[in-house]
Amino acid sequence: MSSNKVLSGLGMAMRAGKLLTGDETVLKSVRAGKAHLVVMAADASDNTKKKFRDKCGSYGVVVVEAFDRDTIGQAIGKEGRVVIAVTDRGFAAMIRNGLKSQTEVENID
């Protein structure tokens, strides 16, 4: 699956209302057990990466690092986004599998 398919999957999840954005909103969804997948921009700050890796690790939520904030933002029709949570199991599996099938998740500038 190409990165374009993954990005369009993120867009579909957003339109379906199955995607949350913003640090606090994503953290709340992880704590509440609603997040099935957290996608973090590769250009997120080290502090942000650590915070979400630790929090997702504690709650058993898969966290992946992919793309950059502008690419994620474009995919979901918002300004640059550093962290998003997928709240639907089906979308989460599709996106995770799409990222896994790429030998290397590339940063697209």
Side-chain angles (χ1 to χ4, degrees):
M1 183 185 267
S2 71
S3 55
N4 287 345
K5 285 214 170 97
V6 173
L7 291 168
S8 69
L10 290 174
M12 286 191 314
M14 184 70 185
R15 289 190 295 282
K18 304 295 183 188
L19 204 133
L20 301 170
T21 72
D23 279 28
E24 285 310 309
T25 310
V26 170
L27 282 175
K28 277 184 195 150
S29 73
V30 168
R31 282 191 209 107
K34 292 189 166 85
H36 293 289
L37 174 68
V38 171
V39 180
M40 209 167 24
D43 60 348
S45 73
D46 289 341
N47 283 346
T48 299
K49 288 179 183 180
K50 180 177 176 3
K51 177 168 68 174
F52 281 96
R53 276 198 200 105
D54 291 352
K55 190 58 75 180
C56 290
S58 304
Y59 287 87
V61 177
V62 176
V63 62
V64 294
E65 204 177 298
F67 311 111
D68 61 33
R69 64 184 73 209
D70 294 328
T71 304
I72 292 171
Q74 282 175 336
I76 64 171
K78 303 264 184 205
E79 284 295 305
R81 295 291 185 222
V82 173
V83 65
I84 56 177
V86 181
T87 58
D88 177 83
R89 203 177 299 274
F91 279 120
M94 179 185 74
I95 292 161
R96 198 169 55 237
N97 291 338
L99 290 170
K100 225 184 277 173
S101 70
Q102 291 176 275
T103 49
E104 186 178 33
V105 177
E106 70 245 27
N107 267 331
I108 302 161
D109 293 322

